[in-house]
Amino acid sequence: MSKLPLYELQKARLEAYATAGYNFDPEKAAEYTAATGWRLDDYEIELPAEAPGPAEPQGAWAAAQQVLRNYTFPPPDLITGIFLPDQPLDQRVMVLRGRFLLFTFWFGVRIGGVTDETRTLPDGSQEQIWGYNYRTLEGHFERGQIDFSIHKNLRTGRVWFHIHAFSQTGRIRNPLYWLGFRLFGRMLQKRFAHQSLKRLRQQVEEMLRKGWVTPSAQDAPPVQAVSSQAAAQEQLKDSR
């Protein structure tokens, strides 16, 4: 098995996705509602609280920011994100390796925006927020955007992780993949969200216990090159 890092194994695909278009129109995000056939999801989990005031340099909020930046929180048996480690976050393109039953699939996403701000809430308190979204590219089985964000209430010290997404099944030409995704796609979406919440909290707690030992940016089992995956080749051919 190759010892090359995942981003080297997937270099050609990363380069191809760098110029790929979205499979939906981000400018119409306000129109993507349940009434127009889109799924809207929101998930949240509490993280260790901090003292009131701005986020602590080595507290839960900053630890969560690092985990989020490194993309180590998704369950690796379901989704693994592969990206160039020295690429600026706001320019990042990722190859997502997805697993479903006996198949391995390869999808592309691109960071659509980074949030780094302090907001004033209706009750007058302030909330410090950091996060980013990524958007699905051509060939993805889904269409839409998912936002990951870390929040801290500066008045109370409460810290939490939030996931927001809007999505819709994309174009799937292969009938076997279409049926599988229709039957299990929603279940896998929810599993991704719930396990991502738990894994991020676990990694944050571990960082706080160990004195800021950061998880590896490619903390996932090794994989083979895409050329060795017959199912992946078929999926890629169908998506073009």
Side-chain angles (χ1 to χ4, degrees), residues 168-189:
Q168 188 181 70
T169 301
R171 184 179 184 185
I172 306 175
R173 296 179 180 177
N174 184 300
L176 177 62
Y177 298 163
W178 178 86
L179 178 61
F181 197 80
R182 185 174 180 83
L183 291 174
F184 300 105
R186 185 58 176 159
M187 176 191 71
L188 295 175
Q189 275 187 324

Side-chain angles (χ1 to χ4, degrees), residues 102-161:
L102 301 178
F103 300 108
T104 297
F105 303 100
W106 304 87
F107 304 115
V109 297
R110 182 181 298 122
I111 300 298
V114 177
T115 299
D116 186 4
E117 62 185 25
T118 299
R119 299 175 185 170
T120 300
L121 302 177
D123 65 359
S125 63
Q126 291 188 311
E127 183 176 281
Q128 188 173 351
I129 306 171
W130 187 90
Y132 59 84
N133 68 63
Y134 64 61
R135 297 166 175 169
T136 55
L137 300 176
E138 296 168 348
H140 203 297
F141 281 1
E142 290 183 304
R143 302 192 300 154
Q145 175 176 306
I146 185 166
D147 295 74
F148 306 104
S149 54
I150 308 300
H151 302 248
K152 179 179 180 180
N153 186 299
L154 304 188
R155 176 183 293 174
T156 66
R158 178 186 173 224
V159 180
W160 67 98
F161 172 42

Side-chain angles (χ1 to χ4, degrees), residues 19-56:
T19 57
Y22 296 121
N23 61 358
F24 73 106
D25 186 354
E27 298 299 322
K28 297 182 179 180
E31 302 175 18
Y32 301 146
T33 66
T36 57
W38 291 73
R39 291 181 295 270
L40 303 180
D41 291 305
D42 284 279
Y43 304 91
E44 193 169 286
I45 194 167
E46 296 290 319
L47 300 177
E50 298 181 1
E56 299 170 7

